[in-house]
Amino acid sequence: MKVEFAPLSVPLQRRLQTASVVQWIFSFLGLAQCCTAAFIILLFTRFWLVSTLYAAWWLIDREKPSKGGRRIHILRNCIIWRYMRDYFPITLMKTAELDPRQNYLVGFHPHGVLAAGAFLNFCTEASGFSMLFPGITPHLMMLSLWFRIPFFRDYVMSGGLIPSDKESASYVLQKPEGGNLLAIIVGGAQEALDARPGSFTLLLKNRKGFVRLAIQHGTPLVPAFSFGENDVFDQVKNPKGSWLRRIQHCLQKIMGISLPLFHARGIFQYSFGLIPYRRPICTVVGKPIPVQKKHRPSEEEVDQVHQKYLNELSNLFEKHKAKYNVPEDSHLEFI
């Protein structure tokens, strides 16, 4: 006998979707602090052995984040990510096939406030990454700071996140069997300070480290633009030269992370809160740009490939912007 379940009501679906987004925001804004607090507090209770054993494990396992991490497929396929996908919704679109016999370096743009599209598309299976790109294993780079936090490091590794340093990137890209994709949010934390609806400004003009890395490994470069990434949060005005922007830059230098003052809607009202707006995000992955391998590329060679990348990214944006309600007179601005 076949048992059929009634579909969830629309209000219940909405509540589950909102709850999934709250969980995601909390996991990156509050879970790290909670993990640190739990680790310290346990040392002063009868459960001190938990923290002690974890510290020993942490020491033994300290190189794992730089060696490709430790993904857990059950967590990548968790149903909560599908609810998060449907909240916005978030979609992933490919424009060309990726050969699983090769490795790829994907430049992801823009950062947005919390990089929702990058996380869901490359760190979960909610948008069907493995079906779109069979044989390809995705990795997403994240600030190394987060991998120093007990318990939290294991959580972020489970989705395929690795530290944003050269050693970690090289480990993924130098695998001879291929089939690896390394996604880098090139604009980084600093670009998040310019993330607001209608903004198409990318911090990319002088960011060439990822290009040099691709040349050193002979890895094709793949541009990816996430339409709608900047639209899900508003941000307090912080023009360059303002007191707020100067404070944010100072904190970024000290802490390594930027602190955009963002806001959107609440859980039970739509006027103010930290929950993102329900606005669609579509990440479009472009075609690979072939790169000739050279261990020590000259500045001129890096500049040539970098300019080619900028052109391909601009072409990708211009080709698809009409589908996502981007005004005809809007173009990418590289700073």
Side-chain angles (χ1 to χ4, degrees), residues 229-288:
E229 193 74 48
N230 283 341
D231 297 339
V232 296
F233 286 105
D234 291 316
Q235 187 172 168
V236 174
K237 291 184 178 180
N238 58 342
K240 293 181 180 179
S242 65
W243 65 269
L244 176 56
R245 189 64 164 244
R246 289 196 294 270
I247 291 175
Q248 289 173 323
H249 278 308
C250 288
L251 291 175
Q252 182 184 346
K253 290 178 180 178
I254 297 171
M255 303 168 56
I257 57 175
S258 65
L259 296 171
L261 298 180
F262 62 91
H263 59 90
R265 49 158 289 191
I267 298 177
F268 304 109
Q269 44 76 32
Y270 299 93
S271 57
F272 187 82
L274 297 180
I275 308 302
Y277 297 119
R278 286 180 178 269
R279 293 173 182 170
I281 297 174
C282 181
T283 302
V284 182
V285 181
K287 62 182 181 180

Short mmCIF file of all heavy atoms in Angstrom, two decimals, residues 229-288:
data_model
loop_
_atom_site.label_atom_id
_atom_site.label_comp_id
_atom_site.label_asym_id
_atom_site.label_seq_id
_atom_site.Cartn_x
_atom_site.Cartn_y
_atom_site.Cartn_z
N GLU A 229 22.16 39.21 -5.50
CA GLU A 229 22.93 39.01 -4.26
C GLU A 229 22.94 40.27 -3.40
O GLU A 229 22.91 40.19 -2.16
CB GLU A 229 24.36 38.60 -4.60
CG GLU A 229 25.15 38.07 -3.43
CD GLU A 229 24.74 36.67 -3.01
OE1 GLU A 229 24.62 35.79 -3.89
OE2 GLU A 229 24.54 36.46 -1.80
N ASN A 230 22.99 41.43 -4.04
CA ASN A 230 23.04 42.69 -3.29
C ASN A 230 21.66 43.22 -2.91
O ASN A 230 21.57 44.25 -2.23
CB ASN A 230 23.76 43.76 -4.11
CG ASN A 230 25.27 43.58 -4.10
OD1 ASN A 230 25.82 42.91 -3.23
ND2 ASN A 230 25.95 44.17 -5.08
N ASP A 231 20.61 42.54 -3.34
CA ASP A 231 19.26 43.08 -3.18
C ASP A 231 18.53 42.61 -1.92
O ASP A 231 17.45 43.12 -1.62
CB ASP A 231 18.39 42.73 -4.39
CG ASP A 231 18.91 43.35 -5.68
OD1 ASP A 231 19.66 44.34 -5.59
OD2 ASP A 231 18.59 42.83 -6.76
N VAL A 232 19.09 41.65 -1.19
CA VAL A 232 18.34 41.05 -0.09
C VAL A 232 18.49 41.80 1.23
O VAL A 232 17.80 41.51 2.21
CB VAL A 232 18.73 39.57 0.09
CG1 VAL A 232 18.34 38.78 -1.15
CG2 VAL A 232 20.21 39.41 0.38
N PHE A 233 19.42 42.77 1.29
CA PHE A 233 19.60 43.59 2.49
C PHE A 233 19.76 45.04 2.09
O PHE A 233 20.33 45.35 1.04
CB PHE A 233 20.84 43.17 3.28
CG PHE A 233 20.71 41.87 4.03
CD1 PHE A 233 21.34 40.73 3.56
CD2 PHE A 233 19.97 41.80 5.20
CE1 PHE A 233 21.24 39.53 4.25
CE2 PHE A 233 19.86 40.61 5.90
CZ PHE A 233 20.49 39.46 5.42
N ASP A 234 19.28 45.95 2.94
CA ASP A 234 19.65 47.36 2.86
C ASP A 234 20.85 47.57 3.78
O ASP A 234 21.11 46.77 4.68
CB ASP A 234 18.49 48.25 3.31
CG ASP A 234 17.34 48.23 2.31
OD1 ASP A 234 17.61 48.32 1.10
OD2 ASP A 234 16.17 48.11 2.75
N GLN A 235 21.57 48.65 3.56
CA GLN A 235 22.74 48.93 4.39
C GLN A 235 22.77 50.42 4.72
O GLN A 235 22.43 51.26 3.89
CB GLN A 235 24.02 48.53 3.65
CG GLN A 235 25.26 48.62 4.52
CD GLN A 235 26.52 48.03 3.85
OE1 GLN A 235 27.62 48.24 4.35
NE2 GLN A 235 26.37 47.32 2.75
N VAL A 236 23.16 50.71 5.94
CA VAL A 236 23.30 52.10 6.36
C VAL A 236 24.31 52.79 5.44
O VAL A 236 25.35 52.22 5.11
CB VAL A 236 23.78 52.18 7.83
CG1 VAL A 236 24.05 53.62 8.23
CG2 VAL A 236 22.74 51.55 8.75
N LYS A 237 23.99 54.01 5.03
CA LYS A 237 24.88 54.72 4.11
C LYS A 237 26.27 54.91 4.73
O LYS A 237 26.41 55.38 5.85
CB LYS A 237 24.28 56.09 3.76
CG LYS A 237 23.03 56.00 2.90
CD LYS A 237 22.52 57.38 2.51
CE LYS A 237 21.30 57.29 1.61
NZ LYS A 237 20.79 58.62 1.21
N ASN A 238 27.27 54.50 3.95
CA ASN A 238 28.66 54.60 4.42
C ASN A 238 29.58 54.98 3.26
O ASN A 238 30.48 54.22 2.90
CB ASN A 238 29.11 53.28 5.03
CG ASN A 238 28.98 52.11 4.04
OD1 ASN A 238 28.27 52.20 3.04
ND2 ASN A 238 29.67 51.03 4.31
N PRO A 239 29.36 56.15 2.65
CA PRO A 239 30.19 56.54 1.51
C PRO A 239 31.67 56.63 1.89
O PRO A 239 32.01 56.85 3.07
CB PRO A 239 29.63 57.92 1.14
CG PRO A 239 28.97 58.42 2.37
CD PRO A 239 28.41 57.19 3.04
N LYS A 240 32.52 56.42 0.90
CA LYS A 240 33.96 56.49 1.16
C LYS A 240 34.33 57.86 1.71
O LYS A 240 33.90 58.89 1.21
CB LYS A 240 34.72 56.21 -0.13
CG LYS A 240 34.55 54.76 -0.61
CD LYS A 240 35.32 54.50 -1.88
CE LYS A 240 35.13 53.06 -2.33
NZ LYS A 240 35.85 52.78 -3.60
N GLY A 241 35.13 57.84 2.76
CA GLY A 241 35.53 59.08 3.41
C GLY A 241 34.69 59.44 4.60
O GLY A 241 35.07 60.30 5.40
N SER A 242 33.54 58.76 4.76
CA SER A 242 32.66 59.05 5.90
C SER A 242 33.26 58.45 7.17
O SER A 242 34.09 57.53 7.14
CB SER A 242 31.27 58.48 5.65
OG SER A 242 31.32 57.06 5.58
N TRP A 243 32.81 58.95 8.33
CA TRP A 243 33.32 58.45 9.60
C TRP A 243 32.99 56.98 9.80
O TRP A 243 33.80 56.21 10.34
CB TRP A 243 32.78 59.30 10.76
CG TRP A 243 31.28 59.20 10.94
CD1 TRP A 243 30.34 59.98 10.37
CD2 TRP A 243 30.58 58.22 11.72
NE1 TRP A 243 29.07 59.57 10.74
CE2 TRP A 243 29.19 58.48 11.57
CE3 TRP A 243 30.97 57.15 12.52
CZ2 TRP A 243 28.22 57.72 12.21
CZ3 TRP A 243 30.00 56.38 13.16
CH2 TRP A 243 28.64 56.68 13.00
N LEU A 244 31.80 56.57 9.34
CA LEU A 244 31.40 55.18 9.49
C LEU A 244 32.30 54.27 8.65
O LEU A 244 32.74 53.20 9.13
CB LEU A 244 29.94 54.99 9.06
CG LEU A 244 29.40 53.56 9.08
CD1 LEU A 244 29.56 52.93 10.46
CD2 LEU A 244 27.94 53.52 8.65
N ARG A 245 32.59 54.67 7.42
CA ARG A 245 33.44 53.86 6.55
C ARG A 245 34.85 53.73 7.15
O ARG A 245 35.46 52.66 7.10
CB ARG A 245 33.49 54.48 5.16
CG ARG A 245 34.15 53.62 4.09
CD ARG A 245 33.37 52.34 3.85
NE ARG A 245 33.76 51.73 2.61
CZ ARG A 245 32.98 51.58 1.56
NH1 ARG A 245 31.72 51.98 1.61
NH2 ARG A 245 33.43 51.00 0.46
N ARG A 246 35.36 54.82 7.71
CA ARG A 246 36.70 54.77 8.31
C ARG A 246 36.74 53.82 9.50
O ARG A 246 37.70 53.06 9.67
CB ARG A 246 37.13 56.18 8.74
CG ARG A 246 37.45 57.11 7.56
CD ARG A 246 38.24 58.32 8.03
NE ARG A 246 37.43 59.17 8.90
CZ ARG A 246 36.67 60.16 8.48
NH1 ARG A 246 36.61 60.45 7.18
NH2 ARG A 246 35.96 60.89 9.32
N ILE A 247 35.68 53.84 10.31
CA ILE A 247 35.61 52.92 11.45
C ILE A 247 35.54 51.48 10.95
O ILE A 247 36.21 50.58 11.50
CB ILE A 247 34.39 53.25 12.33
CG1 ILE A 247 34.60 54.58 13.04
CG2 ILE A 247 34.15 52.14 13.35
CD1 ILE A 247 33.38 55.04 13.83
N GLN A 248 34.73 51.23 9.92
CA GLN A 248 34.60 49.88 9.39
C GLN A 248 35.92 49.36 8.83
O GLN A 248 36.27 48.19 9.01
CB GLN A 248 33.51 49.85 8.30
CG GLN A 248 32.10 50.01 8.86
CD GLN A 248 31.06 50.14 7.78
OE1 GLN A 248 31.29 50.77 6.74
NE2 GLN A 248 29.89 49.57 8.01
N HIS A 249 36.67 50.22 8.16
CA HIS A 249 37.97 49.82 7.64
C HIS A 249 38.96 49.52 8.77
O HIS A 249 39.74 48.56 8.69
CB HIS A 249 38.54 50.91 6.73
CG HIS A 249 38.00 50.87 5.33
ND1 HIS A 249 38.01 49.72 4.56
CD2 HIS A 249 37.45 51.84 4.55
CE1 HIS A 249 37.48 49.98 3.38
NE2 HIS A 249 37.12 51.25 3.35
N CYS A 250 38.92 50.33 9.81
CA CYS A 250 39.80 50.09 10.96
C CYS A 250 39.49 48.76 11.62
O CYS A 250 40.40 47.98 11.96
CB CYS A 250 39.68 51.23 11.97
SG CYS A 250 40.41 52.79 11.44
N LEU A 251 38.19 48.48 11.82
CA LEU A 251 37.79 47.21 12.43
C LEU A 251 38.16 46.03 11.54
O LEU A 251 38.53 44.96 12.04
CB LEU A 251 36.28 47.23 12.70
CG LEU A 251 35.81 48.19 13.80
CD1 LEU A 251 34.29 48.21 13.89
CD2 LEU A 251 36.40 47.78 15.15
N GLN A 252 38.07 46.24 10.22
CA GLN A 252 38.43 45.16 9.30
C GLN A 252 39.91 44.83 9.40
O GLN A 252 40.31 43.66 9.37
CB GLN A 252 38.09 45.56 7.87
CG GLN A 252 38.38 44.46 6.85
CD GLN A 252 38.11 44.91 5.42
OE1 GLN A 252 37.48 45.93 5.19
NE2 GLN A 252 38.61 44.15 4.47
N LYS A 253 40.76 45.85 9.54
CA LYS A 253 42.19 45.62 9.67
C LYS A 253 42.53 44.90 10.96
O LYS A 253 43.44 44.07 11.01
CB LYS A 253 42.94 46.96 9.61
CG LYS A 253 42.91 47.62 8.23
CD LYS A 253 43.64 48.95 8.26
CE LYS A 253 43.60 49.61 6.88
NZ LYS A 253 44.28 50.94 6.88
N ILE A 254 41.78 45.21 12.02
CA ILE A 254 42.05 44.59 13.32
C ILE A 254 41.49 43.18 13.39
O ILE A 254 42.17 42.24 13.84
CB ILE A 254 41.43 45.45 14.44
CG1 ILE A 254 42.09 46.83 14.48
CG2 ILE A 254 41.57 44.75 15.79
CD1 ILE A 254 41.41 47.81 15.41
N MET A 255 40.25 42.99 12.94
CA MET A 255 39.54 41.72 13.11
C MET A 255 39.62 40.80 11.90
O MET A 255 39.39 39.60 12.00
CB MET A 255 38.07 42.00 13.44
CG MET A 255 37.87 42.86 14.66
SD MET A 255 36.17 43.47 14.84
CE MET A 255 35.26 41.95 14.82
N GLY A 256 39.90 41.39 10.72
CA GLY A 256 39.95 40.57 9.51
C GLY A 256 38.61 40.40 8.82
O GLY A 256 38.53 39.82 7.75
N ILE A 257 37.55 40.90 9.44
CA ILE A 257 36.22 40.81 8.85
C ILE A 257 35.59 42.20 8.82
O ILE A 257 35.90 43.04 9.67
CB ILE A 257 35.29 39.85 9.63
CG1 ILE A 257 35.16 40.29 11.09
CG2 ILE A 257 35.81 38.41 9.55
CD1 ILE A 257 34.19 39.46 11.90
N SER A 258 34.73 42.43 7.83
CA SER A 258 34.04 43.72 7.76
C SER A 258 32.73 43.64 8.54
O SER A 258 32.20 42.55 8.75
CB SER A 258 33.76 44.09 6.30
OG SER A 258 32.86 43.17 5.71
N LEU A 259 32.23 44.78 8.94
CA LEU A 259 31.00 44.82 9.73
C LEU A 259 29.99 45.77 9.07
O LEU A 259 29.77 46.89 9.55
CB LEU A 259 31.30 45.26 11.16
CG LEU A 259 32.20 44.33 11.98
CD1 LEU A 259 32.59 44.98 13.29
CD2 LEU A 259 31.49 43.00 12.22
N PRO A 260 29.37 45.34 7.97
CA PRO A 260 28.35 46.19 7.35
C PRO A 260 27.13 46.31 8.26
O PRO A 260 26.69 45.32 8.85
CB PRO A 260 28.01 45.44 6.06
CG PRO A 260 28.38 44.02 6.33
CD PRO A 260 29.56 44.07 7.25
N LEU A 261 26.60 47.52 8.39
CA LEU A 261 25.40 47.73 9.20
C LEU A 261 24.19 47.51 8.31
O LEU A 261 23.67 48.44 7.69
CB LEU A 261 25.42 49.15 9.80
CG LEU A 261 26.58 49.45 10.75
CD1 LEU A 261 26.47 50.88 11.27
CD2 LEU A 261 26.61 48.45 11.91
N PHE A 262 23.74 46.27 8.26
CA PHE A 262 22.66 45.91 7.34
C PHE A 262 21.35 45.72 8.08
O PHE A 262 21.31 45.49 9.29
CB PHE A 262 23.02 44.63 6.58
CG PHE A 262 23.22 43.42 7.46
CD1 PHE A 262 22.15 42.58 7.75
CD2 PHE A 262 24.47 43.11 7.97
CE1 PHE A 262 22.32 41.45 8.54
CE2 PHE A 262 24.65 41.98 8.77
CZ PHE A 262 23.58 41.15 9.05
N HIS A 263 20.27 45.82 7.33
CA HIS A 263 18.93 45.59 7.88
C HIS A 263 18.00 45.26 6.73
O HIS A 263 18.27 45.54 5.57
CB HIS A 263 18.43 46.83 8.65
CG HIS A 263 18.37 48.07 7.80
ND1 HIS A 263 17.25 48.43 7.08
CD2 HIS A 263 19.29 49.03 7.53
CE1 HIS A 263 17.47 49.54 6.42
NE2 HIS A 263 18.71 49.94 6.68
N ALA A 264 16.89 44.64 7.06
CA ALA A 264 15.88 44.29 6.05
C ALA A 264 14.52 44.20 6.72
O ALA A 264 13.95 45.20 7.13
CB ALA A 264 16.25 42.99 5.34
N ARG A 265 14.02 42.99 6.96
CA ARG A 265 12.70 42.81 7.55
C ARG A 265 12.82 41.97 8.82
O ARG A 265 13.89 41.42 9.12
CB ARG A 265 11.77 42.09 6.58
CG ARG A 265 12.37 40.84 5.96
CD ARG A 265 11.34 39.88 5.44
NE ARG A 265 10.63 39.22 6.53
CZ ARG A 265 9.82 38.16 6.36
NH1 ARG A 265 9.62 37.68 5.15
NH2 ARG A 265 9.21 37.61 7.38
N GLY A 266 11.72 41.91 9.57
CA GLY A 266 11.70 41.09 10.77
C GLY A 266 11.02 39.76 10.52
O GLY A 266 10.58 39.46 9.40
N ILE A 267 10.89 38.96 11.56
CA ILE A 267 10.24 37.66 11.43
C ILE A 267 8.73 37.82 11.32
O ILE A 267 8.08 37.16 10.52
CB ILE A 267 10.60 36.77 12.64
CG1 ILE A 267 12.11 36.52 12.69
CG2 ILE A 267 9.84 35.45 12.57
CD1 ILE A 267 12.55 35.71 13.88
N PHE A 268 8.16 38.72 12.13
CA PHE A 268 6.71 38.89 12.15
C PHE A 268 6.24 40.20 11.54
O PHE A 268 5.06 40.49 11.51
CB PHE A 268 6.21 38.78 13.59
CG PHE A 268 6.60 37.50 14.26
CD1 PHE A 268 7.56 37.49 15.26
CD2 PHE A 268 6.03 36.30 13.86
CE1 PHE A 268 7.92 36.30 15.88
CE2 PHE A 268 6.40 35.11 14.47
CZ PHE A 268 7.35 35.10 15.48
N GLN A 269 7.15 41.04 11.08
CA GLN A 269 6.79 42.29 10.42
C GLN A 269 7.82 42.57 9.32
O GLN A 269 8.87 41.96 9.27
CB GLN A 269 6.71 43.44 11.42
CG GLN A 269 7.84 43.51 12.44
CD GLN A 269 9.14 44.05 11.88
OE1 GLN A 269 9.13 44.87 11.00
NE2 GLN A 269 10.25 43.56 12.39
N TYR A 270 7.47 43.48 8.43
CA TYR A 270 8.27 43.69 7.23
C TYR A 270 8.95 45.05 7.18
O TYR A 270 9.50 45.43 6.15
CB TYR A 270 7.39 43.52 5.99
CG TYR A 270 6.77 42.14 5.89
CD1 TYR A 270 5.51 41.88 6.41
CD2 TYR A 270 7.47 41.10 5.28
CE1 TYR A 270 4.95 40.61 6.34
CE2 TYR A 270 6.92 39.83 5.21
CZ TYR A 270 5.66 39.59 5.74
OH TYR A 270 5.12 38.33 5.68
N SER A 271 8.93 45.80 8.26
CA SER A 271 9.48 47.15 8.23
C SER A 271 10.95 47.21 8.63
O SER A 271 11.71 48.02 8.10
CB SER A 271 8.66 48.07 9.14
OG SER A 271 8.64 47.56 10.47
N PHE A 272 11.38 46.37 9.58
CA PHE A 272 12.77 46.44 10.03
C PHE A 272 13.16 45.14 10.72
O PHE A 272 12.37 44.54 11.44
CB PHE A 272 12.97 47.62 10.99
CG PHE A 272 14.42 47.85 11.34
CD1 PHE A 272 15.24 48.57 10.50
CD2 PHE A 272 14.95 47.33 12.52
CE1 PHE A 272 16.59 48.78 10.82
CE2 PHE A 272 16.28 47.54 12.85
CZ PHE A 272 17.10 48.26 12.00
N GLY A 273 14.40 44.71 10.49
CA GLY A 273 14.91 43.51 11.13
C GLY A 273 16.16 43.03 10.43
O GLY A 273 16.68 43.68 9.51
N LEU A 274 16.65 41.86 10.82
CA LEU A 274 17.87 41.30 10.24
C LEU A 274 17.60 40.13 9.31
O LEU A 274 18.53 39.49 8.83
CB LEU A 274 18.81 40.84 11.37
CG LEU A 274 19.32 41.95 12.30
CD1 LEU A 274 20.24 41.36 13.35
CD2 LEU A 274 20.04 43.04 11.52
N ILE A 275 16.31 39.84 9.05
CA ILE A 275 15.95 38.77 8.12
C ILE A 275 15.99 39.34 6.70
O ILE A 275 15.42 40.41 6.45
CB ILE A 275 14.55 38.21 8.43
CG1 ILE A 275 14.46 37.83 9.91
CG2 ILE A 275 14.25 37.00 7.56
CD1 ILE A 275 15.49 36.82 10.36
N PRO A 276 16.63 38.67 5.76
CA PRO A 276 16.72 39.21 4.39
C PRO A 276 15.36 39.28 3.71
O PRO A 276 14.43 38.54 4.05
CB PRO A 276 17.64 38.21 3.67
CG PRO A 276 17.53 36.95 4.47
CD PRO A 276 17.35 37.39 5.89
N TYR A 277 15.25 40.18 2.75
CA TYR A 277 14.03 40.27 1.95
C TYR A 277 13.88 39.01 1.09
O TYR A 277 14.86 38.36 0.74
CB TYR A 277 14.09 41.50 1.03
CG TYR A 277 14.15 42.82 1.74
CD1 TYR A 277 15.24 43.67 1.57
CD2 TYR A 277 13.11 43.25 2.57
CE1 TYR A 277 15.31 44.90 2.20
CE2 TYR A 277 13.18 44.48 3.20
CZ TYR A 277 14.27 45.30 3.02
OH TYR A 277 14.33 46.52 3.65
N ARG A 278 12.62 38.72 0.75
CA ARG A 278 12.35 37.61 -0.17
C ARG A 278 12.53 38.11 -1.60
O ARG A 278 11.57 38.49 -2.26
CB ARG A 278 10.92 37.09 0.02
CG ARG A 278 10.71 36.26 1.28
CD ARG A 278 9.26 35.80 1.36
NE ARG A 278 9.01 34.98 2.52
CZ ARG A 278 9.11 33.65 2.55
NH1 ARG A 278 9.44 33.01 1.46
NH2 ARG A 278 8.85 32.99 3.65
N ARG A 279 13.75 38.11 -2.04
CA ARG A 279 14.06 38.55 -3.40
C ARG A 279 14.92 37.48 -4.07
O ARG A 279 15.85 36.96 -3.44
CB ARG A 279 14.78 39.90 -3.37
CG ARG A 279 13.89 41.03 -2.87
CD ARG A 279 14.65 42.32 -2.67
NE ARG A 279 13.76 43.38 -2.15
CZ ARG A 279 14.19 44.55 -1.71
NH1 ARG A 279 15.49 44.82 -1.71
NH2 ARG A 279 13.33 45.44 -1.26
N PRO A 280 14.62 37.15 -5.33
CA PRO A 280 15.32 36.04 -5.99
C PRO A 280 16.81 36.32 -6.20
O PRO A 280 17.22 37.44 -6.49
CB PRO A 280 14.58 35.91 -7.32
CG PRO A 280 13.93 37.23 -7.54
CD PRO A 280 13.58 37.75 -6.19
N ILE A 281 17.58 35.26 -6.05
CA ILE A 281 19.02 35.28 -6.32
C ILE A 281 19.30 34.18 -7.34
O ILE A 281 18.90 33.04 -7.14
CB ILE A 281 19.84 35.01 -5.04
CG1 ILE A 281 19.60 36.10 -4.00
CG2 ILE A 281 21.33 34.90 -5.36
CD1 ILE A 281 20.26 35.82 -2.66
N CYS A 282 19.96 34.54 -8.42
CA CYS A 282 20.33 33.54 -9.43
C CYS A 282 21.82 33.66 -9.73
O CYS A 282 22.27 34.70 -10.20
CB CYS A 282 19.53 33.70 -10.72
SG CYS A 282 19.94 32.44 -11.96
N THR A 283 22.55 32.61 -9.45
CA THR A 283 23.98 32.57 -9.72
C THR A 283 24.21 31.96 -11.08
O THR A 283 23.87 30.79 -11.31
CB THR A 283 24.72 31.77 -8.64
OG1 THR A 283 24.46 32.35 -7.36
CG2 THR A 283 26.21 31.75 -8.92
N VAL A 284 24.76 32.75 -12.00
CA VAL A 284 25.03 32.29 -13.36
C VAL A 284 26.52 31.98 -13.48
O VAL A 284 27.36 32.86 -13.27
CB VAL A 284 24.62 33.35 -14.40
CG1 VAL A 284 24.87 32.83 -15.81
CG2 VAL A 284 23.15 33.73 -14.22
N VAL A 285 26.83 30.74 -13.81
CA VAL A 285 28.22 30.30 -13.96
C VAL A 285 28.60 30.37 -15.43
O VAL A 285 27.95 29.74 -16.27
CB VAL A 285 28.41 28.87 -13.42
CG1 VAL A 285 29.87 28.43 -13.57
CG2 VAL A 285 27.98 28.80 -11.95
N GLY A 286 29.64 31.14 -15.75
CA GLY A 286 30.05 31.34 -17.13
C GLY A 286 30.89 30.20 -17.69
O GLY A 286 31.06 29.15 -17.06
N LYS A 287 31.42 30.42 -18.87
CA LYS A 287 32.23 29.40 -19.52
C LYS A 287 33.69 29.51 -19.08
O LYS A 287 34.17 30.62 -18.76
CB LYS A 287 32.13 29.52 -21.04
CG LYS A 287 32.64 30.82 -21.61
CD LYS A 287 32.47 30.87 -23.11
CE LYS A 287 33.00 32.18 -23.69
NZ LYS A 287 32.85 32.26 -25.15
N PRO A 288 34.42 28.41 -19.06
CA PRO A 288 35.82 28.43 -18.62
C PRO A 288 36.71 29.24 -19.56
O PRO A 288 36.53 29.24 -20.77
CB PRO A 288 36.21 26.94 -18.64
CG PRO A 288 34.93 26.19 -18.62
CD PRO A 288 33.94 27.04 -19.34
#
